[in-house]
Amino acid sequence: MDDKRPLRIGLIGFGCVGQGFYDILQRQPELGLTITRIAVKSPDKPRTLPAERFSFRADELLADPNLDLLVEVIDDPAEAFRLVSAALRQGRRIVSANKAMVARHLPELVALQREFGGTLLYEAAVCGSIPIIRTLDAYFSHEPLRAVSGIFNGSSNYVLTRMSEEGSDYGPALAEAQALGFAETDPALDMGAFDPRSKAVILAAHAFGLLLNPDEVLNLGIEGVGAADIAYAASLGQKIKVIAGLYRLPNGRVTALVTPQLLGPESPFFNVEHEFNGVAIEAEYAGPHFLQGRGAGGHPTGSAVLADVQALRSGFRYGYTKQAARFQAQLVEGLEVEVYLRHPSAAALGQALDWLRLPAQAVLPGTDGTQATGSVGLAALGQWRVALREAGVFVARLGEVGLIPEVPAEAETAHALA
Ligand code: HSE
């Protein structure tokens, strides 16, 4: 492509991220990037630009041969997939920020790129402005990784920070995160850890070559968190953070999960506050790395979109090289973790202990039966995940995921005979 003439961009979506990207380009005309057309869904919504700037049919942009590349930043995953896959079928170059769409359709999106020669980049879909996908895909393309973990959701981290620093209640803290433009249109995606789960699934493809089904990855959210949990963590000198983790297990398989976790000052995530995200990479030969940056907001996410546009311009595409590593996933079966649980009602907590097969002795002394700790299988947590959420039980992990030790056959027999 002639690098001297301005690149003509078709922008689909003009919400928080779209406006952030647009604004950055207005401030940097020297980049030679022009947003030629903008498509939005609703003709009635008040906009910051005159009505004649907008088209109300994204398909018109797809059909426009004068556009050099497309940027899709809408929040409807089904429509985003329709548009992105149609663009890839035309062999186009397109940038997307839609994590739910990418996580759910990654195998098809990779196949479409291979078949039709188009390119899709989606750095803005994971951890806002942190350049984590390109770091994993390109820089660590041939380095085996041991773990990739972190805070992948700005809104829930903002809520936890406000609750712990200012003693805010959950509801007002969430309303602030929404007002600041960090939360999804449906904030249950943030607070229920569905959003960071999508991001973990995307990173699993680039870090380990794993194409995971998001529904099979365990996610526990913070809808049930309260001041008592923040205080319990503080009594141990710890904080609660929602940690997404991809970990290589001692048996060589890779596990993935997203849960609240209690962690202390020795953790790189301890001081990652407000809407900031942090990602730790444990590489086989290069050792530990840590990246931190704003995980949500129009300008940080718009900046990641811009980085992808420039990368497309220079011919960059993801290599997906880790697919050759042939890692296998082990998501819940055969795995356990130490957890903390709380419910304001002792009866409800008792029910949760039954579900998770924890003994009555798991209840913490002096808590009137409302708080407990114990070791539970990830399979049981996965099985009761929805019931725990609906019952309002807060669950956080206290440590790393481990393999459930196999009981030798003789020991089992001896136990049965005893
Ligand atoms: N709602 C998301 C978050 C936006 O809070 O992290 C960025 O993906």
Side-chain angles (χ1 to χ4, degrees), residues 192-214:
F194 295 94
D195 173 88
R197 179 175 76 172
S198 293
K199 294 164 178 169
V201 166
I202 294 170
L203 293 194
H206 296 275
F208 296 101
L210 285 173
L211 297 174
L212 302 175
N213 175 351

Side-chain angles (χ1 to χ4, degrees), residues 19 30 58 107 160 170 177 199 250 252 264 293 308 317 338 351 375 377 394 418:
Q19 290 185 58
E30 71 281 5
L160 290 169
Y170 175 85
K199 294 164 178 169
D308 272 354
R317 52 196 304 144
E338 188 80 6
Q351 170 74 83
S375 187
F394 178 68

Side-chain angles (χ1 to χ4, degrees), residues 380-402:
L381 278 174
Q383 181 189 346
W384 293 104
R385 182 172 58 90
V386 176
L388 288 163
R389 177 177 295 127
E390 285 173 356
V393 181
F394 178 68
V395 184
R397 63 183 153 117
L398 296 170
E400 298 311 322
V401 176

Side-chain angles (χ1 to χ4, degrees), residues 165-343:
E165 281 184 351
E166 321 286 338
S168 297
D169 285 334
Y170 175 85
L174 171 56
E176 274 178 41
Q178 288 177 287
L180 289 164
F182 302 149
E184 300 301 301
T185 310
D186 175 4
L189 298 174
D190 298 299
M191 301 302 133
F194 295 94
D195 173 88
R197 179 175 76 172
S198 293
K199 294 164 178 169
V201 166
I202 294 170
L203 293 194
H206 296 275
F208 296 101
L210 285 173
L211 297 174
L212 302 175
N213 175 351
D215 298 329
E216 290 174 6
V217 174
L218 176 66
N219 65 313
L220 301 173
I222 61 162
E223 297 102 324
V225 74
D229 307 309
I230 307 283
Y232 175 72
S235 75
L236 303 172
Q238 299 188 332
K239 290 181 188 169
I240 300 170
K241 297 286 181 188
V242 178
I243 302 297
L246 305 164
Y247 308 107
R248 227 162 77 195
L249 299 163
N251 64 9
R253 294 185 177 210
V254 175
T255 197
L257 78 170
V258 189
T259 74
Q261 183 172 356
L262 269 68
L263 39 82
E266 71 288 351
S267 163
F269 310 124
F270 188 76
N271 289 319
V272 177
E273 304 284 34
H274 295 102
E275 80 275 24
F276 278 83
N277 285 187
V279 189
I281 303 168
E282 279 286 334
E284 184 91 32
Y285 304 112
H289 300 75
F290 184 67
L291 290 90
Q292 177 171 351
R294 285 184 206 279
H299 274 165
T301 316
S303 154
V305 171
L306 170 58
D308 272 354
V309 166
Q310 294 291 53
L312 281 180
R313 197 177 208 180
S314 64
F316 177 80
R317 52 196 304 144
Y318 298 135
Y320 299 102
T321 48
K322 289 287 169 62
Q323 286 185 17
R326 307 240 171 269
F327 279 111
Q328 288 191 341
Q330 182 170 351
L331 295 179
V332 293
E333 292 305 330
L335 300 175
E336 65 181 358
V337 71
E338 188 80 6
V339 295
Y340 157 87
L341 303 99
R342 185 190 61 84
H343 194 283

Side-chain angles (χ1 to χ4, degrees), residues 67-249:
L67 295 172
D68 297 307
L69 62 86
L70 297 167
V71 169
E72 174 280 305
V73 285
I74 63 175
D75 74 352
D76 172 350
E79 177 66 356
F81 179 62
R82 190 185 72 77
L83 295 168
V84 169
S85 54
L88 290 177
R89 275 198 191 86
Q90 294 176 21
R92 278 193 185 261
R93 296 172 301 169
I94 183 161
V95 173
S96 173
N98 197 307
K99 50 264 166 151
M101 183 278 286
V102 175
R104 209 156 280 283
H105 295 287
L106 202 43
E108 296 133 283
L109 295 169
V110 172
L112 284 171
Q113 291 176 79
R114 288 189 177 142
E115 186 174 353
F116 295 98
T119 310
L120 168 67
L121 299 182
Y122 40 82
E123 188 67 71
V126 181
C127 297
S129 62
I130 300 179
I132 183 60
I133 300 180
R134 249 192 281 172
T135 299
L136 293 174
D137 189 273
Y139 187 85
F140 286 116
S141 62
H142 293 91
E143 168 100 3
L145 301 180
R146 293 184 179 165
V148 177
S149 61
I151 297 172
F152 294 180
N153 184 265
S155 304
S156 53
N157 201 45
Y158 185 89
V159 168
L160 290 169
T161 303
R162 295 288 288 154
M163 289 180 74
S164 116
E165 281 184 351
E166 321 286 338
S168 297
D169 285 334
Y170 175 85
L174 171 56
E176 274 178 41
Q178 288 177 287
L180 289 164
F182 302 149
E184 300 301 301
T185 310
D186 175 4
L189 298 174
D190 298 299
M191 301 302 133
F194 295 94
D195 173 88
R197 179 175 76 172
S198 293
K199 294 164 178 169
V201 166
I202 294 170
L203 293 194
H206 296 275
F208 296 101
L210 285 173
L211 297 174
L212 302 175
N213 175 351
D215 298 329
E216 290 174 6
V217 174
L218 176 66
N219 65 313
L220 301 173
I222 61 162
E223 297 102 324
V225 74
D229 307 309
I230 307 283
Y232 175 72
S235 75
L236 303 172
Q238 299 188 332
K239 290 181 188 169
I240 300 170
K241 297 286 181 188
V242 178
I243 302 297
L246 305 164
Y247 308 107
R248 227 162 77 195
L249 299 163

